[in-house]
Amino acid sequence: MGTAEEQTVEAPDSALDTAVCSRLPILFLDVDGPLNLWGRVGRRILNPLLRAHLVHLKPDDSFNVNVVLSRRMGSRLRDLGKYFQVHWATSWNEWANQHLSPLLGISEDLPWVRCPNGDPRSKFPAVMTSAGNTSFAWVDDYLSEEVAQATRKKLQWPQCALLVSPHIMCGIDSEVVHLLKWFSQIQRGDREPGRREARKAVAIVSSGRVDAWLVTPSMVTCLSLRKGAKRHG
C-alpha cells in the first residue's frame, strides 16, 4: 500500500457545477488546532513551511490573536473544496471569513455556524441543524467518543459522518486530507459503510496522530489504531 501522499481519490468531474456541489458532503472546520497549530504558538518556529501571524480581531488592537499556519494549508483547503461544501464551525464565528480566509487564500464568504465557545458539545446542536440530512465530516481537535455517540443518534439513513480530531502540532496534514477524501467517496454508496470501509480508513490513519470516528445511524467505529474499533446500536 502506498503512502497517503501517493494515493489519490478522484473528485467528481463537475465538482464546480452548482447542482453537483449541492450534493457534496459538508466539511465543518474548526480553526484552533486543525488550522491554527496552537500547540506551536509561542514557540520558536524552525520549520520553513510554518508561518506565524498576529491577527487583529478588533480595529483598536484590544483583541489580538497569534496564529501559526502551514503554508500548505490554503492549497489543502482549496483541494478539499472539490470534494466538500466547506463550512466554518469555530468560536471564531464570522471572524474566520474576515481574518483567516485572506491569510489562507480561500473564499471569504464560506457558510458558518454560530459557536458559543470551542467545546464541540456546545457546537453540536448548530452543526447538526446545519447538516440537515446531508452527510458530513467534522474536523475539531476536541472531538470525542461522546460526540460521536451523540451524532449517531441524530443521523438519518442514508446519512453518515466522519469525525476527525487531529494533533494540535500537525492539524490538517496530508494524512487528514487523504482520510477526508476517502470519506467523500464512501458516503455516496447505497448501503451503510461497515467494517470493510473502516479497515481501509484505519490503514490511512496509521501514524497515531489522528483520532477519528466513522459514524452511521447504527454504528460508531473508532478508526484510531491505538483505540481499536467498537460497534454500537
Side-chain angles (χ1 to χ4, degrees):
M1 181 175 176
T3 64
E5 291 284 4
E6 293 170 341
Q7 296 181 355
T8 59
V9 181
E10 294 299 324
D13 292 338
S14 54
L16 297 181
D17 179 79
T18 302
V20 173
C21 285
S22 67
R23 296 196 298 271
L24 294 176
I26 298 171
L27 173 58
F28 292 105
L29 285 179
D30 181 31
V31 168
D32 295 318
L35 276 63
N36 172 27
L37 307 181
W38 63 265
R40 299 179 183 270
V41 171
R43 301 187 180 201
R44 185 181 180 189
I45 297 177
L46 300 176
N47 187 336
L49 292 177
L50 301 180
R51 184 176 179 183
H53 305 265
L54 180 62
V55 178
H56 304 271
L57 295 178
K58 293 188 176 180
D60 61 0
D61 281 346
S62 62
F63 191 9
N64 301 324
V65 178
N66 288 299
V67 299
V68 175
L69 302 173
S70 168
R71 295 177 187 269
R72 293 176 175 172
M73 190 62 70
S75 61
R76 286 172 181 160
L77 295 181
R78 289 191 295 273
D79 186 28
L80 288 171
K82 302 173 186 176
Y83 302 83
F84 292 92
Q85 306 172 64
V86 181
H87 292 204
W88 294 116
T90 170
S91 57
W92 284 64
N93 292 308
E94 65 269 30
W95 284 339
N97 275 328
Q98 294 172 14
H99 299 284
L100 293 177
S101 290
L103 292 176
L104 294 164
I106 61 175
S107 170
E108 298 177 29
D109 194 29
L110 292 177
W112 55 280
V113 297
R114 183 166 295 281
C115 301
N117 56 55
D119 188 336
R121 293 172 298 182
S122 70
K123 300 176 183 180
F124 180 77
V127 166
M128 296 306 300
T129 297
S130 180
N133 61 1
T134 302
S135 292
F136 64 91
W138 184 3
V139 184
D140 190 304
D141 58 314
Y142 281 119
L143 287 170
S144 63
E145 178 87 14
E146 177 187 355
V147 179
Q149 290 293 344
T151 300
R152 178 184 66 83
K153 295 174 182 178
K154 293 291 187 179
L155 293 181
Q156 307 171 50
W157 170 253
Q159 188 181 25
C160 56
L162 176 70
L163 275 55
V164 183
S165 179
H167 196 285
I168 60 174
M169 300 288 279
C170 305
I172 299 178
D173 58 11
S174 58
E175 185 175 69
V176 173
V177 169
H178 186 202
L179 181 64
L180 291 170
K181 289 182 180 180
W182 164 84
F183 175 74
S184 76
Q185 299 298 301
I186 64 102
Q187 61 83 35
R188 293 180 193 153
D190 56 1
R191 66 180 181 85
E192 184 174 299
R195 293 188 179 274
R196 179 179 179 183
E197 288 81 7
R199 284 195 294 269
K200 294 179 181 179
V202 166
I204 296 173
V205 290
S206 58
S207 70
R209 296 191 302 266
V210 179
D211 288 336
W213 296 265
L214 177 62
V215 186
T216 69
S218 64
M219 180 177 69
V220 173
T221 304
C222 180
L223 306 177
S224 309
L225 284 175
R226 63 181 180 273
K227 293 184 178 179
K230 299 179 182 178
R231 180 177 289 269
H232 302 270

